[in-house]
Amino acid sequence: ENVRLEPLPDRRLRLTFDAVRPLEVEVSSDDPLAVEVLAQALTGGSTSVGVRLRAVELASSQPSLRARQALTTAMRHDGNLGVRLAAQRGLVGADQLDGPDGGDAVDAMLALLREDGPLPMYLVAIDYLEQRGVEPWRVREALRGSPPGSPATLLLARSQAAGGFLADTGVVH
């Protein structure tokens, strides 16, 4: 692997690159270079699951839009479920950084519900959306957009049958 990420005291990062010769740079953790290296590690610049997990951990504390976009990309497209789940947790945990309505994270969770994905990710997304006070009809609509037979459609049917958060109240929006 050609990049190593190491957190340092005082919100600083040590970035070590192996090119023809190793290159090591110490910058503030919110420096644009640090944020871009984290984003690149998350969105396809690293084949190492360990590096991607470390990048998720560090990007989760970044207040930048670029870091949140990288977390969203990793959550939706990384080939490793552990990285996808960690990115989802990081995005949900980082949403306090993107305003009182959690806009980026809410949109990312609703988009996730429209895809065919693993059940644990749906559960985290639905729980998060309920905690954020997202209207149940928006969540139901997202789930209805998921592929037939996916865990999302099963969750929707079960919740509606049990009268839970996603139960259709008959209110038209």
Side-chain angles (χ1 to χ4, degrees):
E1 198 52 47
N2 66 350
V3 64
R4 288 185 299 284
L5 311 168
E6 180 183 344
L8 299 172
D10 300 326
R11 292 189 39 85
R12 298 186 55 77
L13 293 176
R14 175 174 293 130
L15 311 172
T16 303
F17 304 92
D18 291 325
V20 174
R21 305 176 28 179
L23 170 66
E24 188 171 292
V25 179
E26 289 185 22
V27 296
S28 170
S29 63
D30 59 354
D31 183 279
L33 174 63
V35 173
E36 188 58 32
V37 169
L38 293 173
Q40 289 298 319
L42 281 173
T43 58
S46 175
T47 57
S48 166
V49 172
V51 168
R52 293 196 317 272
L53 286 170
R54 174 63 67 119
V56 165
E57 175 189 338
L58 296 170
S60 297
S61 65
Q62 296 299 318
S64 74
L65 175 61
R66 179 71 174 118
R68 289 192 313 273
Q69 290 170 335
L71 286 169
T72 299
T73 298
M75 174 189 77
R76 294 180 67 194
H77 303 294
D78 196 278
N80 181 282
L81 180 58
V83 173
R84 290 181 68 196
L85 286 165
Q88 183 183 37
R89 286 190 303 272
L91 186 62
V92 167
D95 82 315
Q96 74 273 9
L97 305 172
D98 72 353
D101 67 351
D104 291 349
V106 167
D107 291 344
M109 294 305 131
L110 287 169
L112 175 76
L113 294 179
R114 291 183 193 97
E115 300 170 358
D116 189 13
L119 182 61
M121 294 186 77
Y122 287 126
L123 295 174
V124 169
I126 291 169
D127 185 52
Y128 170 77
L129 293 167
E130 182 177 12
Q131 288 176 7
R132 293 299 271 171
V134 173
E135 299 89 352
W137 68 268
R138 289 182 66 198
V139 179
R140 282 193 307 273
E141 289 304 309
L143 288 168
R144 286 184 181 127
S146 63
S150 72
T153 56
L154 300 174
L155 280 173
L156 179 59
R158 183 178 177 124
S159 180
Q160 288 182 334
F165 167 65
L166 300 176
D168 193 344
T169 60
V171 176
V172 178
H173 298 277

